[in-house]
Amino acid sequence: MSGKDTTGMAAGLLAAVCFGHFLNDGIGSIIPAALPILRDAHGLSFAEVGLITLVVQVTSSLLQPVVGLATDRRPTRYALALGMCFTLLGLLLLGRAASFGAILAAVALIGCGSAVFHPESARIAQHAAGGRKGFAQAIFQVGGNAGMAVGPLAAAFVVVPYGQASIAWFAPAAAFAACLFVWVGREGFSLEARAAGQSRRENTSASVGLGLSKRALAVFFAILLLLMFSKQVYIATLQNFFTFYLIDAFGLGVDDAQYALFGFLLMSALGTVAGGPLTDRFGRRIVILWSILGAAPFALALPWAGLSGVIVLALIVSFIMSSAFTAILVWALDAAPARIGMVSGLFFGLSFGMGGLATVIFGLAADHFGLQQTFAAASVLPLMGLAAFALPADGTRRRA
């Protein structure tokens, strides 16, 4: 089947978007991985560390739905490449930043790049999927998760030995990504135009999905956003303070802590891969329940375990909870097929923004009460997965 056949999966374009996601999120993950280096270099408190994350995440959160809504109305062929140029500038500035204000400005630029990337690339992945939306979104997501897993390794092998200035060495990767996105944007724009023409010829309605009333649809989205909140806030808390906890509580070296963070992010990528087939096999509602509520016992035990136990439990939680995102996103996109950019921007943006806000709140808590008590307080968040029982039956379970 042709890679440009609108009735089937555009495999080449999907692979390029996946690789672009790898580059984008790999670059972005250098920030949390480099936080211990920035803390030591500038004498930052935990609250200031949390504020760095808040700036990059909230920048993404505020802009992503706006970008998605704008491109829903007027698709822009080279938006992805332009967004990566913001990331390129942010990397160059972060490598040379001599003050806390300059650091915040640099991560804000990187956040702007991510704000443009995610809704636009999710739209292209959706149109490239053919009839396999869950699988396509899982492939797209695993590119980002794999990129995030590379960040700690990059920090361990480059930023730790060579310092803050070495962050700018990743600028060529951003430049390459910008060039790749020129082609991706052009091909995706053409594919979307053909899909829109086919939809008009078939006279299909794209205003409301799932056969729900407007009120039921609003409740449905509220539940999905609540579930996203519980998942992302807990994962963001672990991700951003995991290395500090291992270093401060157990005396682990910075390099070894980065390897543990790499394992945490790698398990997140593997969980995302597993989430696609599991969703196809068992249905979205069951996967969301298992992914969020099923992680609760491990999350509750984590703050009270020893070094080995903390690492093992964190890896288990990362794998289990990461399988939910694809199911949540695809379900939301099916519910509003005419608003792919806005919906993907909303869910990606909220996942970034809520995680960033959580790092500030839990950073303040860690300064006053310690990281163990902070992790103990955050460990109740997966219990919010009980809300998934209120979701409608999705009817996606594969029949024998």
Side-chain angles (χ1 to χ4, degrees):
M1 181 178 294
S2 171
K4 294 183 180 182
D5 185 354
T6 59
T7 64
M9 180 174 291
L13 184 59
L14 182 61
V17 172
C18 176
F19 184 62
H21 203 182
F22 170 81
L23 292 176
N24 180 84
D25 286 19
I27 292 169
S29 69
I30 293 172
I31 296 175
L35 287 178
I37 289 87
L38 294 174
R39 180 186 70 166
D40 294 343
H42 298 274
L44 306 178
S45 67
F46 280 124
E48 288 172 322
V49 168
L51 186 58
I52 292 173
T53 304
L54 175 66
V55 168
V56 64
Q57 307 291 30
V58 169
T59 303
S60 300
S61 176
L62 292 176
L63 291 181
Q64 281 191 45
V66 176
V67 171
L69 180 60
T71 54
D72 280 335
R73 295 177 176 177
R74 186 182 295 274
T76 304
R77 182 183 311 242
Y78 299 115
L80 285 174
L82 178 62
M84 186 51 62
C85 289
F86 283 108
T87 301
L88 173 62
L89 291 175
L91 283 172
L92 294 173
L93 177 58
L94 186 58
R96 300 176 61 88
S99 65
F100 183 60
I103 292 173
L104 294 182
V107 298
L109 283 170
I110 295 174
C112 288
S114 181
V116 175
F117 172 81
H118 283 99
E120 278 296 285
S121 56
R123 178 205 308 281
I124 293 173
Q126 188 80 350
H127 287 297
R132 305 173 65 188
K133 295 179 182 178
F135 176 78
Q137 287 293 341
I139 293 298
F140 170 63
Q141 294 300 329
V142 79
N145 285 347
M148 291 179 65
V150 168
L153 291 182
F157 288 109
V158 178
V159 182
V160 170
Y162 297 105
Q164 177 185 341
S166 64
I167 295 175
W169 297 357
F170 297 96
F176 173 78
C179 295
L180 175 66
F181 290 158
V182 170
W183 177 82
V184 169
R186 185 173 62 246
E187 292 296 306
F189 187 86
S190 299
L191 183 63
E192 183 174 359
R194 291 195 298 274
Q198 181 177 343
S199 177
R200 285 193 297 269
R201 288 192 299 271
E202 294 174 355
N203 196 28
T204 57
S205 173
S207 57
V208 178
L210 308 182
L212 299 175
S213 67
K214 290 184 178 180
R215 182 175 180 179
L217 199 61
V219 173
F220 172 78
F221 273 103
I223 294 173
L224 289 184
L225 290 172
L226 177 65
L227 292 168
M228 182 70 78
F229 173 86
S230 65
K231 170 195 175 299
Q232 190 60 32
V233 168
Y234 183 66
I235 288 296
T237 301
L238 277 184
Q239 178 179 329
N240 286 284
F241 295 110
F242 189 45
T243 54
F244 295 123
Y245 187 54
L246 295 177
I247 293 169
D248 295 348
F250 301 105
L252 209 63
V254 174
D255 288 351
D256 290 335
Q258 296 290 356
Y259 296 141
L261 181 58
F262 166 73
F264 177 87
L265 296 175
L266 178 61
M267 293 302 289
S268 178
L270 294 176
T272 301
V273 173
L278 288 173
T279 299
D280 291 338
R281 176 65 181 86
F282 297 105
R284 300 162 187 170
R285 183 171 178 266
I286 292 176
V287 169
I288 292 171
L289 272 169
W290 174 81
S291 177
I292 298 177
L293 188 59
F298 305 101
L300 291 168
L302 188 148
W304 318 109
L307 173 60
S308 298
V310 165
I311 294 175
V312 170
L313 289 170
L315 297 182
I316 292 173
V317 168
S318 180
F319 178 84
I320 293 177
M321 295 196 78
S322 295
S323 63
F325 188 86
T326 297
I328 292 173
L329 180 61
V330 172
W331 215 354
L333 292 175
D334 282 348
R339 294 290 182 265
I340 293 176
M342 186 184 71
V343 171
S344 59
L346 180 65
F347 277 84
F348 277 116
L350 281 177
S351 69
F352 280 112
M354 290 185 298
L357 179 60
T359 57
V360 173
I361 295 174
F362 286 114
L364 290 169
D367 285 335
H368 288 85
F369 304 108
L371 280 172
Q372 184 182 34
Q373 296 302 321
T374 299
F375 280 170
S379 67
V380 302
L381 288 168
L383 293 174
M384 296 173 70
L386 289 166
F389 283 111
L391 290 170
D394 58 285
T396 60
R397 183 181 297 212
R398 180 180 297 169
R399 291 174 172 83

